[in-house]
Amino acid sequence: MARVLLNALARGAEYVSSLSDSDRLILNGLKPQKLQFDKNTVVFREGEPANHFLLVERGVCFSHRHLENGSRQIIDLYFPGEVVALGELSKFHHTSGLMTLSDTVLAAYDKTRITRNFSRSPVLSRLFIDMISQEQANLTDRLVGLTRYNARQRIAYFLLEIRFRANRARQLQPGLRRGVGAKRLIPKPALWPPNMVRIPQVLIADSLGLSIVHVNRVLRQLRQQGCIATCGQGIVLLDVEALEAIAEWCSPEPVPASLQSNG
Amino acid sequence: MARVLLNALARGAEYVSSLSDSDRLILNGLKPQKLQFDKNTVVFREGEPANHFLLVERGVCFSHRHLENGSRQIIDLYFPGEVVALGELSKFHHTSGLMTLSDTVLAAYDKTRITRNFSRSPVLSRLFIDMISQEQANLTDRLVGLTRYNARQRIAYFLLEIRFRANRARQLQPGLRRGVGAKRLIPKPALWPPNMVRIPQVLIADSLGLSIVHVNRVLRQLRQQGCIATCGQGIVLLDVEALEAIAEWCSPEPVPASLQSNG
DNA sequence: CGGTTTTTTGATGGACGTCAACCCAAGTGG
DNA sequence: CCACTTGGGTTGACGTCCATCAAAAAACCG
């Protein structure tokens, strides 16, 4: 059974563009509040009261949790069109923090309003159940992946998933209007190669439960193998099929001889 | 921030005994179908159509997923009073298999009926959202635990959580009526020490993403340390506080000298 | 009691973390 | 224009945790 992107492709329920028109009408009727954040900014911290649920309109952010020993675990990334921390709908406090990775615009919906609408619209409540279920399925996949696949496979899978989600988000917003106060310090996303992923390596490490050093090592291997190329702070996916093969390959694959000699 | 059992204690939303009376009335009105299984039996497999959602009445079972390389990952255990695979409510096929660990009785509710009742009862749909959210929170905790804690900590945490859930389930059903066709090959659970957990080690291994060999080694360490004792196929938690200390201790703790000399 | 599953233990190796350094690009102030 | 800083990325040396292989011991079960 092919693992690669099976789930990422199925990952549609929590993706707003896949909502039906009637659903979207209901959501739009809720009059969200638009919030704007610079890159590398804290949106909220673990434990803070959670009164809204958030939809990413522009930019990328990620939810994370800090451990007592100082390390952090990134729970998930959120691209435009995706919903942040769905599972917290029924919680009064955030169970994980949220930070922006780039300049970001969020649409904040009041929770009590949404909850009130559940009573009036069974469709909406059913929609939320489906969305949360989908997110749970993704979490389960990730859990299995983290325990049963090695760093190579996890990184390959991660890159593919990020590429997929980033591209989907890009299609959603072909004409990227410049935000009012948003600074443009990074090169225009539209100019990036289609298979480029712009993400600091430390974020990959904290997502996959690896050390940044080891992430770097694996990336070097993949580079020497011709699967990827690094350009500045970006990673270009050169050979998607090879990455897919690595990611879905489950038994410990033999390290290619070419790699060992070059290492 | 104490990690131990914080979540397990909070784990109440998906636990049926915590339902309000009105909620339970609604559920009871759905006339579940009772299903009975011997121990070590397949209830359903990954990919099979999923038309019911299941509540454990008696016994213990676990959901799992098989990987291409032959290993399996156990997603979760389910004790009496807990709901199986909540997140699959909106899925047509099971995303993981379910097996019994002991003789088990399940109450199967028809999904379409439940869904129909969502329209009539906003309370019920809200209840399901809360239940799924709770399960998602647990999954997230487990995800963080699997990546960021070592085998010792994971095993200690696992034992504590199992003990908690097993005890809770035992309180729920003090007078354990003998099932009609249920065989009683194992000693009466009521006679077990209150801190005894009866679980094969391979199950711990597959739950925590460890090899059975390593699980055994860590258990030996804990035994030598006086935290636990093994009795037949059961594990008795002798020093709960010590286990809690191990589980919530996050930085790589110094191995006690007593242990090294004895090993 | 014999076959089968579990547990236990040792030996060995690989995967990955940690420590420590160096490089490189971008920004900053002079 | 250049020193300085800063934050990532890159690389090597080394150690630890844990998987794997193999095999014996114990517990279970009919």
Side-chain angles (χ1 to χ4, degrees), chain A residues 237-254:
Chain A
L237 280 60
L238 295 177
D239 191 343
V240 171
E241 289 188 8
L243 286 173
E244 288 175 352
I246 292 171
E248 81 184 317
W249 194 255
C250 292
S251 55
E253 79 279 63

Side-chain angles (χ1 to χ4, degrees), chain B residues 99-140:
Chain B
M99 279 196 65
T100 62
L101 195 58
S102 58
D103 297 336
T104 299
V105 177
L106 302 174
Y109 297 80
D110 190 70
K111 271 189 191 176
T112 57
R113 254 203 207 163
I114 290 191
T115 306
R116 231 181 296 142
N117 275 269
F118 282 164
S119 320
R120 277 187 261 140
S121 158
V123 179
L124 191 68
S125 61
R126 181 60 204 238
L127 173 73
F128 266 82
I129 289 181
D130 291 350
M131 286 164 78
I132 301 180
S133 300
Q134 182 58 39
E135 194 165 281
Q136 180 177 331
N138 290 329
L139 262 181
T140 306

Side-chain angles (χ1 to χ4, degrees), chain A residues 9-58:
Chain A
L9 288 171
R11 190 189 185 101
E14 84 274 41
Y15 190 58
V16 163
S17 77
S18 66
L19 297 187
S20 77
D21 288 342
S22 59
D23 296 334
R24 219 175 314 181
L25 272 182
I26 297 176
L27 267 188
N28 287 339
L30 295 177
K31 300 281 177 208
Q33 180 184 357
K34 298 294 172 77
L35 304 175
Q36 203 156 344
F37 297 91
D38 285 351
K39 61 189 280 194
N40 298 325
T41 311
V42 172
V43 176
F44 55 75
R45 292 178 208 278
E46 193 175 340
E48 287 181 3
N51 303 317
H52 301 274
F53 104 108
L54 302 171
L55 169 66
V56 179
E57 296 224 320
R58 212 150 47 71

